Amino acid sequence: MPKISNKGLQMPESPIRKLVPYSEAAKKKGHKVYHLNIGQPDIKTPELALEAVRNVKMEVLEYSHSAGFESYRKKLAAYYTRQGLAVETQDIIITTGGSEALLFAMGSTMDQGDEIIIPEPFYANYNGFSTASGVTVVPVISGIETGFALPPIADFEKLITPKTKAILICNPGNPTGYLYSKEEMQQLAELVKKHDLFLIADEVYREFVYDGGTHYSVMSIPGLEEYAIMIDSVSKRYSMCGARIGCIVSKNKDVMAAAMKFAQARLSPPTFEQIASEAALDTPQSYFDEVSAEYLKRRNILVGELSKIEGVTVANPKGAFYCIAKLPVADADDFAQWLLESFDLNGETVMVAPAAGFYSTPGAGKDEIRMAYVLKKGDLVRSAEILKAALQAYNSK
């Protein structure tokens, strides 16, 4: 029998989705499952994006340019300009989600066996993208004790080798919700210039910043034009996860020329989704103000309720819509599966994402979970009640 590749064997499972069969089984038993495992907002997609697709009149569903519709890229560049970023149309390639943008970034800057340094915990699919690209992830650990702040620059420097090609951050962070300060961004900028590395910043949660914080984009740092690569997406910004539209942005012409070859190889991003995404750029600021205010309320409720549970430690996120909680259990993976297989509180249970899958260091995050506060406030309170009862039952087994 033919064998699959080592790369296929090494591709990691998603900690966000791997428990889906257990969730489906719980639902078949009649249990209600509160999904805190995945960042799928219940916020409505802007109506003007949906209307743009409904009103399309075309006789042939054609390819777009490999870089995406010029009208969309031009309008997107204007959006970034309003954000204070000096981005022009030619600096943007539209991709099939932020995922493809990350694959393009790695493919354009790294060869087989090269290394990328990533503060962990990090978005679990960074492991998958790196494996698919033949790139080795070198983690630099941040901790819940500091709220997952940027590790000391000295910790980065001691990991840099001749194979190191880039540093990758998510800002604000998934899964931690950490928001990098201006000083931290400047420290990273000086580091990559010193060692001639790329700084790749996944900024898909840029609109969701709390407590008076400010988002500092990698594209806003003077002198970093040849080093900076920004990854973006419409998924969370407009609650358009199913659209699968993102982009890679850089002022580095060599990077963009290489990325264009990857874009040409996959022909073009999807047409209808680009139409919706272009229309979404007309979404008024009031939409983001309301959504951010709603997520802030949800954060305060979930973090507040979790903090009341004995033995639970939770970091207070400053952005995005995730938090990491440290539980009084030895194996959060086993606990998360048990929640779905063997526990319910009056016919209800909770689905969470075990945090070990957001680390590449073996054994790290074993007692942590990631939760997305994308549910209504009452559901978040109920989820915390269920989690409290579940921990008591699990530790009494």
Side-chain angles (χ1 to χ4, degrees):
M1 177 178 173
K3 295 182 179 179
I4 65 169
S5 66
N6 286 329
K7 186 182 289 186
L9 292 170
Q10 292 165 6
M11 278 293 286
E13 281 188 298
S14 168
I16 305 166
R17 298 173 182 268
K18 70 178 183 179
L19 295 176
V20 166
Y22 301 102
S23 170
E24 291 172 341
K27 290 174 183 176
K28 286 178 181 178
K29 288 192 290 186
H31 294 168
K32 179 175 181 177
V33 178
Y34 291 96
H35 285 272
L36 299 182
N37 63 303
I38 191 165
Q40 172 57 66
D42 64 356
I43 303 295
K44 288 185 177 181
T45 303
E47 185 61 26
L48 48 81
L50 300 175
E51 277 298 312
V53 174
R54 293 190 192 109
N55 295 332
V56 168
K57 292 180 175 61
M58 63 173 66
E59 294 183 358
V60 179
L61 189 56
E62 298 179 340
Y63 292 122
S64 77
H65 190 287
S66 291
F69 290 130
E70 184 177 10
S71 59
Y72 179 32
R73 288 182 287 126
K74 186 178 293 185
K75 200 169 176 181
L76 191 54
Y79 157 78
Y80 290 128
T81 299
R82 291 195 300 273
Q83 303 291 315
L85 311 183
V87 173
E88 300 177 45
T89 305
Q90 65 268 24
D91 303 328
I92 303 169
I93 294 176
I94 305 302
T95 57
T96 308
S99 299
E100 188 176 66
L102 280 158
L103 286 167
F104 285 5
M106 289 185 180
S108 300
T109 62
M110 288 166 252
D111 291 312
Q112 186 83 21
D114 282 342
E115 298 173 351
I116 184 168
I117 299 175
I118 314 178
E120 65 176 0
F122 51 72
Y123 176 46
N125 281 338
Y126 293 166
N127 273 325
F129 302 146
S130 300
T131 300
S133 302
V135 173
T136 300
V137 171
V138 178
V140 55
I141 299 178
S142 61
I144 198 168
E145 304 78 17
T146 64
F148 301 104
L150 186 75
I153 290 298
D155 290 358
F156 284 87
E157 286 213 269
K158 66 186 180 185
L159 297 173
I160 295 173
T161 74
K163 291 186 175 182
T164 306
K165 291 297 175 3
I167 294 171
L168 169 60
I169 61 169
C170 186
N171 184 33
N174 174 8
T176 65
Y178 186 77
L179 178 69
Y180 290 103
S181 68
K182 183 177 183 179
E183 292 70 28
E184 289 171 324
M185 292 299 296
Q186 288 173 333
Q187 287 174 5
L188 287 171
E190 292 306 314
L191 181 66
V192 297
K193 286 193 288 185
K194 177 181 177 181
H195 294 278
D196 206 24
L197 307 174
F198 290 103
L199 179 56
I200 305 172
D202 182 346
E203 300 186 359
V204 305
Y205 300 97
R206 69 167 62 245
E207 264 81 11
F208 309 124
V209 173
Y210 317 121
D211 304 329
T214 300
H215 177 260
Y216 292 99
S217 172
V218 70
M219 300 300 294
S220 68
I221 303 173
L224 206 64
E225 291 80 8
E226 297 301 312
Y227 305 85
I229 301 173
M230 182 175 74
I231 307 299
D232 209 350
S233 168
V234 304
S235 292
K236 315 301 182 178
R237 177 171 302 131
Y238 304 111
S239 195
M240 290 171 59
C241 295
R244 309 313 308 134
I245 291 292
C247 62
I248 178 173
V249 182
S250 181
K251 306 293 285 187
N252 185 311
K253 290 180 171 53
D254 291 338
V255 167
M256 297 307 285
M260 177 56 81
K261 288 186 280 187
F262 285 96
Q264 290 169 342
R266 64 85 166 98
L267 305 183
S268 70
T271 295
F272 281 115
E273 286 79 357
Q274 287 188 81
I275 291 170
S277 299
E278 182 174 337
L281 286 168
D282 291 326
T283 301
Q285 182 59 40
S286 58
Y287 173 88
F288 301 110
D289 294 341
E290 290 171 10
V291 172
S292 292
E294 178 63 21
Y295 281 138
L296 177 59
K297 292 175 187 174
R298 294 178 181 189
R299 181 206 69 174
N300 291 343
I301 287 171
L302 183 60
V303 171
E305 293 299 315
L306 291 173
S307 299
K308 297 175 186 176
I309 302 175
E310 185 177 356
V312 172
T313 301
V314 58
N316 193 36
K318 301 298 184 183
F321 39 65
Y322 307 99
C323 65
I324 292 278
K326 190 181 186 72
L327 304 182
V329 299
D331 188 343
D333 218 310
D334 180 75
F335 173 67
Q337 184 173 327
W338 174 86
L339 266 172
L340 296 168
E341 275 193 309
S342 307
F343 180 81
D344 72 277
L345 185 64
N346 298 324
E348 298 180 327
T349 192
V350 174
M351 188 175 183
V352 297
F358 296 92
Y359 292 81
S360 62
T361 300
K366 285 285 288 181
D367 58 352
E368 296 174 357
I369 58 173
R370 186 201 77 166
M371 287 171 285
Y373 43 93
V374 293
L375 304 182
K376 292 179 174 59
K377 296 184 282 291
D379 291 345
L380 294 174
V381 172
R382 179 59 176 162
S383 296
E385 290 174 354
I386 294 167
L387 191 64
K388 178 180 180 180
L391 285 168
Q392 292 172 344
Y394 183 80
N395 288 324
S396 299
K397 290 191 299 176

